[in-house]
Amino acid sequence: MRSQHRPSELIGTPLEHEPGIGALTLPDFVREVSQAFDSHEAMCWDDLEGNTQRFTYRQLYENALQVARALMACGISKGSRVGILVSNRPEWLFCLFGASMCGATVVALNTFSSQQELRYQLTTADVSFLFIEARVASRDFIEDILNLCPMLEHSAAMELYVPQFPFLRRVVCVDSGMARGALQEWHNFLAQGKSIDPELITASAQTSKPTEDALIFFSSGSTALPKAIRQTHRAATLQCWRMGNMYDFDSSVRTWNANGFFFSGNFAMSFGTLCRGGCLVMLRYFESDAALSLIQREKVSCIIAWPHQEARFKESPYWDSGDFSAIKWVTYFSAFRDQPTTDIDWQGFDGYGLTETFTFISLISGEDNLQASQGMVLPGNTIRIIDQDTGELLPIGETGEIIVKGPTLTPGYIGIPSEETFDAEGFFHTADAGYINQDGLLFWKGRLSDIIKTGGANVSPAEIDSVISQHSAIQSSHTVGIPHDTLGELVVSCVVVRDGHRMSEEEVKAFAKQFLSGYKVPRKVLFFMEQELPLTGSNKIKMSTLKMTAIEKLSEI
């Protein structure tokens, strides 16, 4: 029997006692911040013609209202699902808040998605209305949609009826002059809203409840296909208020984010700026020289970027010659702390969270984090450490599986029964390892599952292997995550080629790139003979042993 020590359980204070929290629905959130900050600059970005566009909080609200009126004129109402396939630019926010005013759920689509991934996301989430950007970097989303639905190329109908996407009724391109076939122009779409009384939008917005669905994010899981994660108004807005509080922003903050709003963490950390009346400085996609130039010009004071992106910054000619003295808020380990022109006092923060919890459920400031922990449990949340095999609650200090529940926990996945997602007490089992110490601090020790975290994104090895194994010359694929200084983990595929066939590393990568987002394509491919694969007594691959073998092979290259 286990010793009778204090059990590993953290229970947060009641949610209603948490200070600094405002409106808990997206329509009320945008109305509250727009009224509070009115003429403050809320957003700026360089449009496709190179002109700098700036929007006040009042204009943010007015543009969102315009989108809401047009959506309602197109039949979007409570429960509709509106997809946004757009990079970091003002239209993302206009469409997000406009759709929420109509009572719709926003499906945040990943702009790294391949055609096949896009098809999966649209059908899984039953998207009925889709906003797309014409092109993002090398991706052409108009071409993707027309390839997925060829009949739309020569159609002039405004309403879509295609068997590939039985619920999809309209696609709107946010770039003027770029729409083709049945795709609708942005300005033509907006003009349809003139028939809708703004008071009707106000009445619709007031029906939203904090616990109702507001967003759907896609995240890689332990299965081959990503899961569609439902999130509520309360989860989204609560985490935004918390980020504004945790950063201790003031209204002077100007925030630049290297990553898309379709990641829940980037959503919350960026939109925390809006809670304090700051400005979002937007760049459509990450490119180090362009980003550093923009950061200097706009006197950006908060940088949200991953280590591998900051490593790219240091290789840029702008790094040594630039003036970044406006920067005040960066992570504790940010390269900007060592840049000669910066003098940063803010100590950052650390925490633990998941897409399923809309980022953090525990947090601690850098100044208080003397033990290098993931912090104290946030209000309303409960964290337990259990024995993964027995479900028994473990004593303080003993490492086991982290399980969680609380106000930002997903209501569930689309298409997956709740009993397969939560236990009988409503806890979500994270498959992460950790422990709680005597001071009530959580310590994350790694993943019990095999999910690879690379460049801040979760990648499913099963998804990668299911794609690579489709190649006629490949017998099997076994993907592992190898520790990496800047990416966190490097995606490495260990491949067995069929007898009589030959393949190169570049051929494997090129094949995978046809079906997978860029960050999921293996960075390295190692080739094995079948007899070289380490096996258990039941003929299963010993993944831990394979990972060590892969590390040894890479060290020899």
Side-chain angles (χ1 to χ4, degrees), residues 127-291:
V127 170
S128 58
F129 197 107
L130 176 62
F131 293 105
I132 67 168
E133 192 164 3
R135 296 187 183 91
V136 179
S138 61
R139 294 301 310 281
D140 186 331
F141 289 116
I142 290 179
E143 199 66 32
D144 284 343
I145 292 296
L146 296 180
N147 284 340
L148 291 172
C149 304
M151 66 181 68
L152 302 182
E153 176 79 52
H154 305 293
S155 172
M158 293 183 68
E159 293 290 318
L160 308 181
Y161 293 93
V162 294
Q164 296 94 327
F165 306 107
F167 298 103
L168 185 60
R169 290 294 173 267
R170 193 169 305 215
V171 180
V172 172
C173 179
V174 300
D175 292 312
S176 297
M178 301 292 285
R180 288 162 37 201
L183 277 60
Q184 190 176 17
E185 289 278 358
W186 176 247
H187 294 296
N188 293 339
F189 158 71
L190 293 178
Q192 292 181 252
K194 293 178 180 178
S195 62
I196 301 297
D197 187 337
E199 291 299 316
L200 188 57
I201 301 299
T202 301
S204 172
Q206 290 173 346
T207 68
S208 293
K209 305 297 188 299
T211 55
E212 292 177 338
D213 283 3
L215 289 149
I216 293 169
F217 292 97
F218 283 87
S219 180
S220 291
S222 58
T223 56
L225 295 174
K227 294 176 181 177
I229 303 170
R230 298 161 48 212
Q231 282 292 4
T232 65
H233 285 274
R234 180 173 66 174
T237 53
L238 181 57
Q239 298 293 49
C240 290
W241 292 114
R242 284 172 169 169
M243 287 300 100
N245 296 339
M246 198 65 194
Y247 273 103
D248 195 22
F249 285 143
D250 56 43
S251 61
S252 71
V253 65
R254 300 177 67 80
T255 298
W256 176 80
N257 189 341
N259 303 288
F261 299 144
F262 46 78
F263 291 128
S264 62
N266 297 312
F267 181 109
M269 294 172 75
S270 294
F271 293 0
T273 297
L274 302 179
C275 300
R276 298 300 185 96
C279 178
L280 293 175
V281 179
M282 300 186 187
L283 190 66
R284 294 170 60 230
Y285 54 90
F286 180 75
E287 197 284 312
S288 58
D289 290 355

Side-chain angles (χ1 to χ4, degrees), residues 302-497:
C302 177
I303 305 289
I304 301 172
W306 292 104
H308 70 284
Q309 293 162 331
E310 292 196 349
R312 295 266 302 279
F313 282 148
K314 295 177 72 173
E315 298 168 358
S316 169
Y318 290 97
W319 182 255
D320 292 324
S321 62
D323 179 3
F324 304 105
S325 57
I327 296 175
K328 298 179 182 178
W329 293 278
V330 293
T331 61
Y332 185 76
F333 297 104
S334 171
F336 281 99
R337 291 184 181 272
D338 298 322
Q339 208 282 335
T341 63
T342 63
D343 183 14
I344 301 167
D345 292 329
W346 187 68
Q347 294 300 303
F349 58 81
D350 202 350
Y352 174 77
L354 316 128
T355 304
E356 284 83 356
T357 58
F358 215 107
T359 71
F360 299 107
I361 56 170
S362 70
L363 270 175
I364 189 168
S365 71
E367 292 178 327
D368 298 331
N369 201 10
L370 301 179
Q371 301 183 57
S373 75
Q374 277 61 58
M376 305 285 289
V377 64
L378 287 168
N381 290 293
T382 301
I383 299 175
R384 290 178 178 174
I385 308 297
I386 65 166
D387 183 305
Q388 189 182 36
D389 295 325
T390 67
E392 181 182 354
L393 195 61
L394 295 176
I396 288 288
E398 191 167 331
T399 298
E401 183 182 16
I402 302 170
I403 66 171
V404 302
K405 67 177 178 180
T408 65
L409 180 61
T410 174
Y413 302 109
I414 293 177
I416 298 178
S418 60
E419 63 269 22
E420 295 180 18
T421 306
F422 311 106
D423 67 19
E425 294 184 76
F427 281 90
F428 177 78
H429 291 234
T430 68
D432 281 340
Y435 70 92
I436 294 167
N437 74 357
Q438 295 287 349
D439 297 322
L441 296 172
L442 175 69
F443 290 78
W444 176 75
K445 301 302 291 180
R447 285 176 301 285
L448 297 171
S449 66
D450 60 357
I451 294 301
I452 300 168
K453 191 152 187 120
T454 180
N458 289 333
V459 173
S460 166
E463 181 184 9
I464 297 170
D465 292 334
S466 69
V467 167
I468 293 177
S469 297
Q470 292 176 29
H471 195 289
S472 58
I474 293 176
Q475 179 173 313
S476 65
S477 173
H478 311 279
T479 299
V480 295
I482 301 301
H484 189 271
D485 289 342
T486 57
L487 291 171
E489 288 184 302
L490 196 71
V491 178
V492 178
S493 292
C494 303
V495 170
V496 176
V497 178

